[in-house]
Amino acid sequence: VHRLRSVDNLFVVVQEFKDYQFKESKEDALKDLEDLVKKLPWTDPLKVWELNNSLKKKKTKRKKHNLQSPASKEKLSDVGEEGGADQNTTNDQEDCAQNPVAVEPAGGQDTENPQGVTPRDGEEEDSEQADVNAEAQASSASGTGAADGQPKVLRFRVTCNRAGDKHSFTSNEAARDFGGAVQEHFQWKADMTNFDVEVLLNIHNNEVVVGIALTEESLHRRNITHFGPTTLRSTLAYGMLRLCDPQPTDIIVDPMCGTGAIPIEGAAEWPHCYHIAGDNSPQAVKRAANNICSLLRKNESKDSSTALGVPLDVIQWDICNLPLRTGSVDIVVTDMPFGKR
Ligand SMILES: C[S@@+](CC[C@H](N)C(=O)[O-])C[C@H]1O[C@@H](n2cnc3c(N)ncnc32)[C@H](O)[C@@H]1O
């Protein structure tokens, strides 16, 4: 599954409830979620998680601002990543402003608990997300032994994504109480940034899915180092290209390439085609060129056969005046500008 190119995040499902009946009062609903933890079939999913550890890419440290910024999706604009026409809609972003820490400061009991809120990066359509961090006493964990013979204490965090207007609790509260119960059940240690296990609590109206994350950061970031305001996810770029069913020797053009997500994904995944990218914005062309350089450098460090280059050129041009002969292109694949969003 780690080789799938159109998948942003992978997780193993612990249990799925299609029609979970939430109690009306907040206390009762949260108590139910807490009680759920010890009834869930964790054993097999944890085995999958353990197996996955030997297969997945090495952990990259989470950026600090993820932790601190409650204005969840804003962090993407730090690197200018938010945006292609087919990504989150404006409405989604407004929904995200409902992030509990931003508009609903936790009162009473909440403020006593050290908490952080780290939304995952933009992949959910949702209204709010929260991770919980509560201090825990260290103890043994299932399955993973430490080198010195002592059982290794696993660190965990819970990420809750909640969507729907009928819930009496916030995602923050759900993550906090569910997290507390996970901690008690497994005797794991809660840690927001340096966690071994990320437990996912996805609540969408009456549907509840509890899972364990198998990827640590969204796979859509591959190959792009220089982001622009409308950079397309590599996972989407892959899907678009795949729909075109490229054949070896095909000439594939993205005439409005922006930072080059489509042609770069194309060159990486369909190296037997020739990819031509262009944009009328000099800045976009520069970013695309930088991204191609990064890909070249990455290839150089891999093996010598790909170090010579990537089958991709980037040019500044205007789509109304392409320097291409009629009939010389096999596939045109592009992510069009849709004006003001
Ligand atoms: C939605 S963005 C493409 C984003 C791109 N897929 C990426 O990953 O960065 C649309 C692009 O079309 C470019 N564009 C707009 N009008 C153009 C024109 N007349 N000729 C060429 N490119 C144009 C813009 O500069 C912008 O970079």
Side-chain angles (χ1 to χ4, degrees):
V1 291
H2 281 277
R3 294 213 186 104
L4 293 172
R5 303 278 81 194
S6 55
V7 174
D8 278 16
N9 293 292
L10 295 166
F11 63 94
V12 55
V13 173
V14 176
Q15 196 160 358
E16 190 176 4
F17 303 88
K18 289 271 180 224
D19 189 23
Y20 188 94
Q21 294 302 312
F22 288 104
K23 298 256 171 66
E24 250 176 55
S25 86
K26 179 157 79 175
E27 287 67 27
D28 291 347
L30 290 173
K31 179 77 177 50
D32 276 359
L33 282 179
E34 239 182 276
D35 292 344
L36 185 63
V37 170
K38 41 185 183 300
K39 298 179 198 150
L40 292 171
W42 295 97
T43 313
D44 285 346
L46 278 169
K47 279 187 195 150
V48 174
W49 170 82
E50 249 182 56
L51 174 68
N52 178 66
N53 284 344
S54 60
L55 304 171
K56 75 178 174 192
K57 280 201 339 198
K58 244 186 125 206
K59 183 168 184 155
T60 48
K61 260 213 149 158
R62 276 176 186 261
K63 291 193 192 90
K64 225 177 174 159
H65 66 252
N66 285 11
L67 243 184
Q68 291 162 341
S69 163
S72 57
K73 311 281 155 90
E74 287 305 311
K75 73 176 190 286
L76 292 179
S77 58
D78 292 350
V79 285
E81 192 186 353
E82 192 63 36
D86 40 3
Q87 298 186 7
N88 292 327
T89 64
T90 314
N91 281 342
D92 289 339
Q93 289 178 13
E94 279 168 6
D95 283 350
C96 288
Q98 291 170 5
N99 184 306
V101 172
V103 296
E104 198 183 294
Q109 194 191 347
D110 291 356
T111 47
E112 284 161 28
N113 286 326
Q115 284 200 34
V117 173
T118 310
R120 286 162 79 82
D121 45 13
E123 59 265 37
E124 279 80 14
E125 56 181 26
D126 104 63
S127 19
E128 52 172 32
Q129 316 180 336
D131 297 333
V132 72
N133 177 21
E135 290 308 319
Q137 51 311 30
S139 180
S140 69
S142 73
T144 15
D148 58 3
Q150 291 291 323
K152 182 179 180 277
V153 179
L154 287 187
R155 290 156 302 177
F156 82 103
R157 76 174 191 185
V158 171
T159 300
C160 176
N161 296 294
R162 187 189 69 81
D165 51 11
K166 302 246 155 44
H167 305 125
S168 55
F169 52 86
T170 64
S171 58
N172 206 27
E173 290 163 335
R176 179 198 62 200
D177 290 10
F178 194 80
V182 168
Q183 180 184 299
E184 210 174 290
H185 185 64
F186 289 107
Q187 297 292 294
W188 290 342
K189 184 173 164 53
D191 192 324
M192 282 289 294
T193 43
N194 239 335
F195 50 87
D196 305 297
V197 190
E198 182 176 26
V199 178
L200 306 170
L201 176 61
N202 291 335
I203 302 173
H204 190 256
N205 294 321
N206 272 357
E207 192 182 74
V208 175
V209 180
V210 179
I212 300 173
L214 300 180
T215 41
E216 288 171 35
E217 67 174 6
S218 179
L219 302 176
H220 79 265
R221 290 158 185 277
R222 63 175 175 261
N223 296 333
I224 303 294
T225 48
H226 293 72
F227 291 90
T230 57
T231 301
L232 195 69
R233 288 163 180 255
S234 300
T235 42
L236 277 176
Y238 175 84
M240 291 168 75
L241 282 155
R242 204 182 138 164
L243 281 174
C244 301
D245 192 20
Q247 300 300 314
T249 75
D250 274 355
I251 308 282
I252 307 178
V253 175
D254 179 353
M256 295 180 282
C257 70
T259 45
I262 297 172
I264 286 171
E265 187 66 17
E269 296 300 322
W270 286 271
H272 300 298
C273 297
Y274 194 74
H275 305 262
I276 306 175
D279 201 288
N280 68 347
S281 151
Q283 208 185 5
V285 173
K286 202 167 160 192
R287 285 193 183 117
N290 280 327
N291 283 324
I292 296 169
C293 286
S294 306
L295 184 63
L296 272 169
R297 273 199 297 275
K298 197 166 128 189
N299 284 350
E300 270 168 28
S301 59
K302 264 200 231 150
D303 71 280
S304 54
S305 63
T306 50
L308 292 174
V310 284
L312 164 57
D313 270 323
V314 60
I315 308 146
Q316 188 180 339
W317 66 24
D318 186 323
I319 194 172
C320 303
N321 210 356
L322 296 181
L324 296 169
R325 216 182 311 134
T326 302
S328 62
V329 171
D330 299 292
I331 294 171
V332 174
V333 51
T334 199
D335 164 24
M336 304 220 294
F338 284 103
K340 263 198 170 153
R341 296 196 310 132

